[in-house]
């Protein structure tokens, strides 16, 4: 595999909601507004925020659509410290996700849905074929910014038809690397 240049996006904390949980939190008749289309086709940020309540504090997480089968809250390590929870590193929500209280305008619910997203690469099958990426493959990402250089290992390859090639880091990872809007990285096979 050659060195492959890739755009990097930093994902702030956010929540994906099931339709049922959305209805619980905001009410059956509640509508959300789309405030921004995201780089991954069909995915968007909304005007709705959910209050995330832990034993030591609370923060807000923006609801990103469309609806998912399962509610999934993606936090950074710093977010977890702030509210006093410990969440597992994961690609998606599972039984191991941390329990958390969520509050909307209408109600509060408790869900096992909090994870710290593992850094990952989105790409579609055509891009994957071009670069010989396979699902679940682990890559090294080298980033050089004004702050200096870092290498993040274990970037997980995720492939789906509606994906566009982007690396997603969380805010802790992005800040540690000195990422700006235009930052790019170089992907190489993990050694
Ligand atoms: Zn992503």
């Amino acid at each position: 595999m050659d060195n492959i240049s890739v755009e990097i996006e930093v994902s702030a904390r956010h929540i994906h909601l099931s339709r049922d949980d959305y209805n619980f939190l905001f009410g059956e008749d509640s509508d959300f507004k789309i405030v921004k289309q995201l780089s991954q086709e069909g995915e968007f940020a909304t005007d709705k925020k959910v209050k995330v309540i832990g034993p030591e504090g609370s923060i807000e997480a923006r609801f990103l659509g469309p609806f998912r089968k399962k509610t999934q809250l993606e936090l950074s390590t710093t977010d977890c410290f702030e509210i006093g929870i410990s969440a597992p590193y994961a690609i998606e929500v599972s039984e191991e996700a941390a329990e958390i209280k969520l509050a909307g305008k209408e109600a509060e619910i408790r869900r096992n849905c909090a994870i710290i997203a593992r850094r990952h690469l989105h790409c579609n099958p055509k891009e994957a074929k071009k670069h010989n990426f396979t699902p679940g493959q682990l890559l090294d990402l080298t980033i050089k910014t004004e702050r200096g250089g870092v290498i993040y290992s274990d970037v997980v390859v995720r492939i789906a038809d509606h994906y566009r090639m982007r690396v997603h880091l969380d805010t802790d990872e992005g800040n540690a690397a000195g990422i700006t809007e235009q930052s790019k990285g170089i992907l190489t096979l993990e050694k």
Side-chain angles (χ1 to χ4, degrees):
M1 193 173 94
D2 300 329
N3 291 353
I4 297 158
S5 174
V6 65
E7 280 183 50
I8 300 171
E9 291 176 340
V10 176
S11 305
R13 82 173 82 100
H14 61 270
I15 188 163
H16 304 283
L17 290 169
S18 69
R19 187 178 286 275
D20 282 351
D21 284 349
Y22 178 90
N23 288 346
F24 279 132
L25 290 165
F26 294 104
E28 302 249 342
D29 306 325
S30 165
D31 273 335
F32 58 79
K33 282 200 188 78
I34 295 175
V35 295
K36 192 186 174 194
Q37 298 289 339
L38 303 177
S39 67
Q40 304 305 313
E41 204 183 313
E43 301 193 10
F44 50 84
T46 77
D47 61 337
K48 288 282 185 284
K49 287 182 178 172
V50 174
K51 195 171 178 189
V52 175
I53 304 159
E56 286 168 26
S58 65
I59 49 180
E60 284 191 325
R62 189 175 291 278
F63 163 47
L64 302 189
F67 291 119
R68 296 251 181 121
K69 273 194 187 132
K70 280 185 181 166
T71 291
Q72 172 172 316
L73 172 66
E74 298 182 34
L75 301 175
S76 70
T77 305
T78 303
D79 295 330
C80 291
F81 287 153
E82 196 173 333
I83 61 175
I85 66 160
S86 165
Y89 301 110
I91 274 293
E92 54 191 17
V93 70
S94 72
E95 298 297 304
E96 275 88 62
E99 190 184 320
I100 194 81
K101 199 197 277 182
L102 304 171
K105 242 183 122 184
E106 289 292 314
E108 284 185 359
I109 55 178
R110 277 189 170 277
R111 292 287 180 270
N112 286 73
C113 68
I115 63 168
I116 298 170
R118 292 184 66 190
R119 54 189 84 116
H120 55 276
L121 171 77
H122 291 275
C123 63
N124 60 45
K126 205 175 149 192
E127 291 162 334
K129 200 176 169 205
K130 183 176 166 196
H131 300 298
N132 276 323
F133 293 142
T134 52
Q137 190 178 22
L138 300 177
L139 305 174
D140 280 343
L141 173 72
T142 303
I143 306 168
K144 288 204 164 86
T145 67
E146 238 175 84
R147 180 158 191 182
V150 298
I151 298 173
Y152 283 134
S153 296
D154 302 322
V155 177
V156 183
V157 174
R158 307 182 63 186
I159 303 171
D161 288 334
H162 72 287
Y163 285 168
R164 285 168 64 195
M165 210 161 115
R166 293 282 190 286
V167 164
H168 281 169
L169 303 178
D170 73 14
T171 45
D172 285 350
E173 293 166 330
N175 291 341
I179 299 282
T180 61
E181 293 264 311
Q182 285 82 33
S183 291
K184 289 195 171 189
I186 300 292
L187 292 167
T188 49
L189 265 189
E190 200 161 283
K191 288 175 198 89

